[in-house]
Amino acid sequence: MATTVEKQVMVIGADESEQSAYALEWTLDHFFAPFGPNSPFKLVIVHAKPMPSSVVGLAGPGAAEILPIVDADLKRMAARVTDKAKELCATKSVTDVTVEVVEGDARNVICDAVDRHHASVLVVGSHGYGAIKRAVLGSVSDYCAHHAHCSVMIVKKPKTKH
Amino acid sequence: MATTVEKQVMVIGADESEQSAYALEWTLDHFFAPFGPNSPFKLVIVHAKPMPSSVVGLAGPGAAEILPIVDADLKRMAARVTDKAKELCATKSVTDVTVEVVEGDARNVICDAVDRHHASVLVVGSHGYGAIKRAVLGSVSDYCAHHAHCSVMIVKKPKTKH
């Protein structure tokens, strides 16, 4: 039972890619910074931390020893991504932000976050937009564009040359 | 050579669908109305008017007589779409708007408009989001999400029930 005063939720998926960092900056510049504290949105930044087993593959000899090492790496990456995101928000004076790390496949983690937060907008960066003339969206942004139960903003980094 | 003072261009595709009308209203409410005359964007509404031949199919006996009638219908539809869009903008006190009707396939017309106006955001409605549990994007929004040379906002009409 949202009232008009209540802020809508905007979820943004964050990973370690340049496109993801650009998407967050673009979003802060367009939906938050110009409004000061009166942005119509509350921001939820979600980082999907892959499960160590999905990175290593199915169990084999030595898997039990490797998994904790991989998991420690994935945790460090999650910390880097979330720290960088928080820092960028602080730089743009955006304070109404929640940062979450959820373990799982990015596609499911992001779409689930949309449902859990009753988000009205999901922002994702687009991947693989470069050398090939026709843009190819990453599988995560493509999946989310189709499956998220809200409006979806796919942020593309402009090329330096038109 | 855009300066930071120059407004960025937002292109929105408009057709006669309910989703399209919702996408325009959502866009006006989120990117324009809250800013008054200081919206960071200039709005370009583009309606792709299908070519009569694409509607009728390839020439056959009587095609010469039918084409002008079909064309008149398509022109009336274009007028309805653009009038409705202008009216909605006026209701929301959004005045910095260009409305264009361009003949051709919607996918090409919209992506060409993005290039022609050096748009930084394209807004499209999503189609076919309803009875089926998993959202299926319309071919136009799907094509544009992949091919437009700018960020793409796919506006989905929320279901009445969560």
Side-chain angles (χ1 to χ4, degrees):
Chain A
M1 296 297 142
T3 65
T4 48
V5 182
E6 209 173 296
K7 287 193 176 194
Q8 295 182 50
V9 173
M10 182 178 284
V11 167
I12 181 162
D15 61 24
E16 70 288 5
S17 71
E18 200 189 333
Q19 287 91 345
S20 167
Y22 179 83
L24 177 58
E25 186 163 11
W26 192 95
T27 300
L28 294 171
D29 284 345
H30 285 87
F31 289 103
F32 293 88
F35 294 96
N38 300 317
S39 166
F41 294 103
K42 175 182 167 25
L43 189 60
V44 176
I45 299 173
V46 180
H47 172 66
K49 175 184 158 299
M51 282 187 282
S53 57
S54 74
V55 176
V56 174
L58 285 171
E65 287 75 39
I66 293 171
L67 286 177
I69 302 170
V70 172
D71 196 46
D73 268 355
L74 294 170
K75 278 185 182 144
R76 270 196 294 275
M77 184 187 282
R80 269 204 306 275
V81 169
T82 52
D83 286 353
K84 202 175 152 190
K86 284 176 196 165
E87 202 181 298
L88 193 58
C89 291
T91 312
K92 307 273 180 186
S93 307
V94 177
T95 51
D96 195 2
V97 185
T98 306
V99 182
E100 291 182 351
V101 176
V102 181
E103 193 167 73
D105 180 87
R107 299 176 300 174
N108 301 328
V109 165
I110 291 172
C111 288
D112 287 352
V114 164
D115 290 342
R116 195 158 30 88
H117 292 284
H118 306 292
S120 51
V121 183
L122 166 67
V123 180
V124 284
S126 92
H127 287 236
Y129 182 82
I132 303 168
K133 189 89 178 176
R134 289 290 182 196
V136 179
L137 292 185
S139 64
V140 173
S141 49
D142 214 12
Y143 181 92
C144 293
H146 283 83
H147 295 93
H149 296 129
C150 69
S151 296
V152 179
M153 180 85 209
I154 300 166
V155 178
K156 298 183 187 180
K157 203 160 181 276
K159 298 191 204 177
T160 40
K161 278 188 181 180
H162 286 296
Chain B
M1 299 299 142
T3 66
T4 48
V5 182
E6 208 173 295
K7 287 193 176 194
Q8 295 183 49
V9 174
M10 181 178 286
V11 167
I12 181 163
D15 61 23
E16 70 288 3
S17 71
E18 202 190 332
Q19 288 89 345
S20 166
Y22 179 82
L24 177 57
E25 186 164 10
W26 192 96
T27 300
L28 294 171
D29 284 345
H30 286 87
F31 289 104
F32 292 89
F35 295 98
N38 300 318
S39 167
F41 293 104
K42 177 183 162 27
L43 189 60
V44 176
I45 299 172
V46 180
H47 172 65
K49 176 184 158 299
M51 284 188 280
S53 57
S54 74
V55 176
V56 175
L58 285 172
E65 287 77 40
I66 293 171
L67 286 178
I69 301 170
V70 171
D71 197 45
D73 268 356
L74 294 169
K75 277 184 182 142
R76 270 195 295 274
M77 182 186 283
R80 268 203 307 274
V81 169
T82 52
D83 286 353
K84 202 176 152 190
K86 284 177 198 165
E87 203 181 296
L88 193 59
C89 292
T91 311
K92 307 272 182 188
S93 307
V94 178
T95 52
D96 195 1
V97 184
T98 307
V99 182
E100 292 184 350
V101 176
V102 180
E103 193 167 72
D105 179 88
R107 298 176 299 176
N108 300 327
V109 165
I110 290 172
C111 288
D112 287 352
V114 164
D115 290 342
R116 193 158 31 86
H117 291 284
H118 306 292
S120 51
V121 183
L122 166 66
V123 180
V124 284
S126 91
H127 287 236
Y129 183 83
I132 303 168
K133 188 91 179 174
R134 289 289 182 197
V136 179
L137 292 183
S139 64
V140 172
S141 48
D142 215 13
Y143 182 93
C144 292
H146 283 83
H147 294 92
H149 296 126
C150 69
S151 296
V152 179
M153 179 86 210
I154 300 168
V155 178
K156 298 183 186 179
K157 204 162 181 278
K159 296 191 205 178
T160 40
K161 279 189 183 179
H162 285 297

